[in-house]
Short mmCIF file of all heavy atoms in Angstrom, two decimals:
data_model
loop_
_atom_site.label_atom_id
_atom_site.label_comp_id
_atom_site.label_asym_id
_atom_site.label_seq_id
_atom_site.Cartn_x
_atom_site.Cartn_y
_atom_site.Cartn_z
N VAL A 17 0.88 -1.16 0.00
CA VAL A 17 0.00 0.00 0.00
C VAL A 17 0.92 1.22 0.00
O VAL A 17 1.51 1.56 1.02
CB VAL A 17 -0.93 0.00 1.22
CG1 VAL A 17 -1.77 1.28 1.25
CG2 VAL A 17 -1.82 -1.24 1.21
N GLY A 18 1.07 1.82 -1.17
CA GLY A 18 2.07 2.87 -1.35
C GLY A 18 1.43 4.24 -1.48
O GLY A 18 1.02 4.64 -2.57
N VAL A 19 1.34 4.97 -0.37
CA VAL A 19 0.81 6.33 -0.39
C VAL A 19 1.91 7.29 -0.79
O VAL A 19 3.04 7.20 -0.30
CB VAL A 19 0.24 6.71 0.99
CG1 VAL A 19 -0.21 8.17 1.01
CG2 VAL A 19 -0.92 5.80 1.36
N ASN A 20 1.58 8.21 -1.68
CA ASN A 20 2.54 9.21 -2.14
C ASN A 20 1.92 10.59 -1.97
O ASN A 20 0.80 10.84 -2.43
CB ASN A 20 2.89 8.96 -3.61
CG ASN A 20 4.07 9.78 -4.08
OD1 ASN A 20 4.10 10.99 -3.91
ND2 ASN A 20 5.04 9.12 -4.69
N ALA A 21 2.64 11.48 -1.29
CA ALA A 21 2.11 12.82 -1.02
C ALA A 21 1.76 13.56 -2.31
O ALA A 21 0.87 14.41 -2.33
CB ALA A 21 3.11 13.64 -0.20
N GLY A 22 2.46 13.25 -3.40
CA GLY A 22 2.22 13.94 -4.65
C GLY A 22 0.95 13.53 -5.37
O GLY A 22 0.49 14.22 -6.27
N SER A 23 0.37 12.38 -4.97
CA SER A 23 -0.88 11.94 -5.60
C SER A 23 -1.92 11.65 -4.52
O SER A 23 -2.72 10.72 -4.64
CB SER A 23 -0.64 10.69 -6.45
OG SER A 23 -0.07 9.65 -5.69
N LEU A 24 -1.89 12.46 -3.48
CA LEU A 24 -2.77 12.25 -2.33
C LEU A 24 -4.15 12.82 -2.63
O LEU A 24 -4.34 14.04 -2.65
CB LEU A 24 -2.16 12.93 -1.10
CG LEU A 24 -2.79 12.63 0.26
CD1 LEU A 24 -2.67 11.16 0.60
CD2 LEU A 24 -2.13 13.47 1.34
N LYS A 25 -5.10 11.94 -2.89
CA LYS A 25 -6.48 12.38 -3.12
C LYS A 25 -7.34 11.85 -1.99
O LYS A 25 -7.41 10.64 -1.77
CB LYS A 25 -6.98 11.86 -4.47
CG LYS A 25 -6.29 12.50 -5.66
CD LYS A 25 -6.90 12.03 -6.96
CE LYS A 25 -6.20 12.69 -8.15
NZ LYS A 25 -6.76 12.24 -9.44
N LEU A 26 -7.96 12.77 -1.28
CA LEU A 26 -8.68 12.40 -0.08
C LEU A 26 -10.16 12.69 -0.18
O LEU A 26 -10.56 13.63 -0.85
CB LEU A 26 -8.11 13.19 1.11
CG LEU A 26 -6.63 12.99 1.38
CD1 LEU A 26 -6.15 14.02 2.37
CD2 LEU A 26 -6.38 11.61 1.91
N PRO A 27 -10.97 11.89 0.49
CA PRO A 27 -12.38 12.24 0.59
C PRO A 27 -12.53 13.57 1.30
O PRO A 27 -11.68 13.96 2.09
CB PRO A 27 -12.97 11.10 1.45
CG PRO A 27 -11.98 9.99 1.35
CD PRO A 27 -10.64 10.64 1.18
N SER A 28 -13.58 14.29 1.03
CA SER A 28 -13.82 15.58 1.67
C SER A 28 -15.18 15.54 2.35
O SER A 28 -16.16 15.06 1.78
CB SER A 28 -13.78 16.70 0.63
OG SER A 28 -13.96 17.95 1.24
N PRO A 29 -15.29 16.00 3.59
CA PRO A 29 -14.25 16.61 4.41
C PRO A 29 -13.33 15.58 5.05
O PRO A 29 -13.58 14.39 4.94
CB PRO A 29 -15.06 17.37 5.47
CG PRO A 29 -16.30 16.54 5.62
CD PRO A 29 -16.61 16.04 4.24
N ASP A 30 -12.31 16.05 5.77
CA ASP A 30 -11.32 15.17 6.38
C ASP A 30 -11.90 14.21 7.41
O ASP A 30 -11.28 13.23 7.75
CB ASP A 30 -10.23 16.01 7.08
CG ASP A 30 -9.22 16.55 6.09
OD1 ASP A 30 -9.24 16.15 4.91
OD2 ASP A 30 -8.43 17.39 6.51
N ARG A 31 -13.10 14.48 7.90
CA ARG A 31 -13.63 13.63 8.96
C ARG A 31 -13.77 12.17 8.52
O ARG A 31 -13.82 11.28 9.35
CB ARG A 31 -14.98 14.15 9.45
CG ARG A 31 -16.10 14.14 8.42
CD ARG A 31 -17.43 14.55 9.07
NE ARG A 31 -18.50 14.64 8.09
CZ ARG A 31 -18.81 15.74 7.43
NH1 ARG A 31 -18.12 16.86 7.67
NH2 ARG A 31 -19.79 15.76 6.55
N THR A 32 -13.83 11.92 7.22
CA THR A 32 -13.93 10.54 6.75
C THR A 32 -12.66 9.75 7.03
O THR A 32 -12.66 8.53 6.96
CB THR A 32 -14.20 10.49 5.24
OG1 THR A 32 -13.15 11.18 4.56
CG2 THR A 32 -15.53 11.13 4.91
N LEU A 33 -11.56 10.46 7.34
CA LEU A 33 -10.29 9.78 7.63
C LEU A 33 -9.95 9.80 9.12
O LEU A 33 -8.93 9.28 9.52
CB LEU A 33 -9.15 10.45 6.86
CG LEU A 33 -9.21 10.32 5.34
CD1 LEU A 33 -8.09 11.12 4.72
CD2 LEU A 33 -9.11 8.88 4.92
N ARG A 34 -10.80 10.40 9.94
CA ARG A 34 -10.43 10.60 11.33
C ARG A 34 -10.54 9.37 12.20
O ARG A 34 -10.17 9.40 13.36
CB ARG A 34 -11.29 11.72 11.93
CG ARG A 34 -10.95 13.08 11.34
CD ARG A 34 -11.81 14.15 11.99
NE ARG A 34 -11.57 15.44 11.34
CZ ARG A 34 -12.27 16.53 11.60
NH1 ARG A 34 -13.23 16.50 12.51
NH2 ARG A 34 -12.01 17.65 10.98
N THR A 35 -11.05 8.28 11.66
CA THR A 35 -11.25 7.09 12.48
C THR A 35 -9.94 6.56 13.05
O THR A 35 -9.95 5.89 14.07
CB THR A 35 -11.90 5.98 11.65
OG1 THR A 35 -11.12 5.74 10.47
CG2 THR A 35 -13.31 6.37 11.24
N GLU A 36 -8.81 6.83 12.40
CA GLU A 36 -7.52 6.35 12.89
C GLU A 36 -6.87 7.31 13.88
O GLU A 36 -5.82 7.03 14.42
CB GLU A 36 -6.57 6.13 11.71
CG GLU A 36 -7.06 5.11 10.70
CD GLU A 36 -7.19 3.71 11.27
OE1 GLU A 36 -6.58 3.43 12.33
OE2 GLU A 36 -7.92 2.89 10.66
N PHE A 37 -7.49 8.48 14.11
CA PHE A 37 -6.93 9.48 15.01
C PHE A 37 -8.00 9.96 15.97
O PHE A 37 -9.19 9.94 15.66
CB PHE A 37 -6.38 10.68 14.22
CG PHE A 37 -5.21 10.34 13.36
CD1 PHE A 37 -5.38 9.94 12.04
CD2 PHE A 37 -3.92 10.39 13.87
CE1 PHE A 37 -4.29 9.61 11.24
CE2 PHE A 37 -2.84 10.06 13.08
CZ PHE A 37 -3.01 9.67 11.78
N ASP A 38 -7.58 10.42 17.15
CA ASP A 38 -8.56 11.01 18.07
C ASP A 38 -8.57 12.52 17.89
O ASP A 38 -7.83 13.09 17.08
CB ASP A 38 -8.25 10.61 19.52
CG ASP A 38 -6.86 11.05 19.97
OD1 ASP A 38 -6.42 12.15 19.56
OD2 ASP A 38 -6.22 10.30 20.72
N GLU A 39 -9.43 13.18 18.63
CA GLU A 39 -9.62 14.61 18.45
C GLU A 39 -8.35 15.42 18.70
O GLU A 39 -8.15 16.49 18.14
CB GLU A 39 -10.74 15.11 19.36
CG GLU A 39 -12.13 14.66 18.91
CD GLU A 39 -12.46 15.12 17.50
OE1 GLU A 39 -12.21 16.30 17.18
OE2 GLU A 39 -12.97 14.31 16.71
N SER A 40 -7.46 14.91 19.56
CA SER A 40 -6.23 15.65 19.87
C SER A 40 -5.28 15.71 18.67
O SER A 40 -4.37 16.53 18.64
CB SER A 40 -5.51 15.01 21.06
OG SER A 40 -5.09 13.69 20.73
N ASP A 41 -5.51 14.85 17.68
CA ASP A 41 -4.65 14.84 16.49
C ASP A 41 -5.10 15.84 15.44
O ASP A 41 -4.43 16.05 14.45
CB ASP A 41 -4.65 13.44 15.85
CG ASP A 41 -3.96 12.41 16.71
OD1 ASP A 41 -2.79 12.65 17.05
OD2 ASP A 41 -4.58 11.41 17.06
N ILE A 42 -6.26 16.44 15.64
CA ILE A 42 -6.83 17.33 14.64
C ILE A 42 -6.53 18.77 14.99
O ILE A 42 -6.63 19.19 16.14
CB ILE A 42 -8.35 17.09 14.54
CG1 ILE A 42 -8.61 15.62 14.16
CG2 ILE A 42 -8.99 18.03 13.53
CD1 ILE A 42 -10.04 15.20 14.28
#
């Protein structure tokens, strides 16, 4: 699983990715 910052396409808003982080990370 090769994530590259140059081709980083994310769902919007960011909350769809927050499951791996708690509120203190935001």
Side-chain angles (χ1 to χ4, degrees):
V17 176
V19 175
N20 191 308
S23 56
L24 191 62
K25 291 184 180 179
L26 302 169
S28 182
D30 281 350
R31 64 174 176 269
T32 58
L33 293 175
R34 291 181 185 174
T35 55
E36 300 296 341
F37 294 92
D38 59 37
E39 289 301 315
S40 64
D41 291 304
I42 301 170

